[in-house]
């Protein structure tokens, strides 16, 4: 197995010249065709390609400055984290891949403007923003595909947060993973809306990394997942090109439920849903029966992300009182 450091090393200059400070923003993203399962756990190389939409201004802003007291500091939303906390350890390990023998201590300060009430994961935007800030801080001048491939090593879904709009993470087949990066699709959809339905916030018991590993290792049903994902990816491309909202929504919803089916078929079983998640799904299906074109997707957690178009925003905000609505391509 190739290590992250082995892959990154050839892309770094012989001598690093750190700047005085760097700051970068990366958007959060919602997958319409999910990444679920790794063929390489060290490099986060996926078993299937995935496709997402980035959440415009919602995401993470990361600032890097030198630390003058000889130790690394990791701050999240203004609070300093214990260096042995899980998030701080991941951040420091990732930074270590780039600063090499320079060993200069840093302050890494991240702010998420994702509404905490939305219960959205922030590791995708967090590692993408950190990668962009490191690129600036050390003047690495990496190409977007390289930034995406390296952000992937922090968290798989971070590969997609390097770009805005519709983004495909190509699975690639190289052992070093340098062809497993995201690309931005040349499409926009100004009327598209994503509605965040909060069911529960707080740390989940089994994170995505552990969840996908358990699924790959124990669920026979997982064998059908790569085929489902490949077919869904094609359908999503067609939907985007034809601006066919029903095809987009139906494909995303079936993809998410298929992923959850593989989780439920794992042992011990993995069910991220709460009773309120199921109630919200049923509400979506009832609205659809009444003629409202609305679909949902879900990640490794209990919250729903609704997909609809601008003309139905009022109906959906009335049906889901705390709905947080995002326009991924800006207001038309
Ligand atoms: C269900 O990217 O968080 O949200 O690579 O282990 O950090 P690691 O996993 P992560 O997994 C995201 C899984 C998902 C689907 C998706 O975003 O594609």
């Amino acid at each position: 197995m190739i290590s992250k450091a082995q892959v990154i090393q050839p892309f770094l200059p012989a001598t690093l010249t750190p700047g005085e400070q760097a700051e970068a923003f990366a958007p959060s993203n919602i997958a319409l065709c999910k990444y679920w399962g790794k063929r390489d756990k060290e490099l986060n190389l996926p078993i299937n390609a995935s496709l997402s939409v980035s959440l415009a201004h919602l995401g993470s802003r990361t600032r890097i400055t030198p630390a003058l007291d000889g130790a690394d500091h990791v701050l999240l939303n203004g609070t300093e984290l214990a260096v042995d906390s899980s998030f701080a350890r991941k951040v420091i390990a990732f930074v270590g891949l780039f600063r090499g023998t320079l060993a200069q201590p840093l302050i890494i300060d991240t702010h998420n403007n994702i509404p905490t009430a939305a219960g959205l994961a922030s590791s995708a935007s967090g590692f993408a923003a950190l990668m962009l800030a490191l690129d600036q801080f050390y003047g690495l001048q990496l190409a977007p595909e390289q930034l995406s491939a390296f952000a992937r090593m922090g968290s798989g879904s971070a590969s997609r947060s390097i770009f805005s709009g519709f983004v495909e993470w190509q699975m690639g087949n190289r052992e070093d993973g340098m062809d497993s990066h995201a690309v931005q699709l040349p499409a926009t959809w100004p009327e598209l809306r994503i509605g965040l339905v909060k069911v529960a916030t707080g740390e989940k018991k089994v994170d995505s990394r552990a969840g996908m590993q358990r699924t790959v290792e124990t669920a026979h049903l997982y064998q059908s997942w790569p085929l489902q994902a490949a077919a869904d990816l094609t359908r999503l491309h067609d939907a985007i090109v034809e601006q066919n909202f029903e095809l987009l929504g139906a494909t995303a919803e079936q993809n998410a439920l298929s992923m959850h089916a593989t989780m439920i078929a794992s042992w011990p079983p993995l069910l991220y849903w709460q009773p309120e998640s199921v109630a919200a799904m049923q509400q979506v299906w009832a609205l659809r029966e009444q003629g409202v074109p609305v679909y949902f997707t879900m990640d490794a957690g209990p919250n729903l992300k609704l997909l609809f178009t601008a003309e139905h925003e009022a109906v959906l905000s009335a049906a889901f009182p705390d709905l947080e609505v995002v326009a991924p391509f800006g207001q038309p």
Side-chain angles (χ1 to χ4, degrees), residues 2 4 16 25 35 48 67 75 99 101 110 125 161 177 229 267 275 295 312 326 332:
I2 306 179
K4 296 182 180 106
L16 283 179
F25 171 82
Y35 148 55
N48 63 283
L75 287 87
R99 71 178 150 194
T101 50
T110 301
S125 55
S161 277
W267 198 262
Y295 298 84
H312 302 289
V326 187

Side-chain angles (χ1 to χ4, degrees), residues 31 34-36 38 44 155-157 160 208-209 212 299-300:
K34 307 294 184 189
Y35 148 55
W36 196 247
K38 305 180 196 217
N44 290 338
S155 184
S157 50
R160 300 185 307 239
S208 301
R209 184 178 187 82
M212 60 179 94
D299 294 304

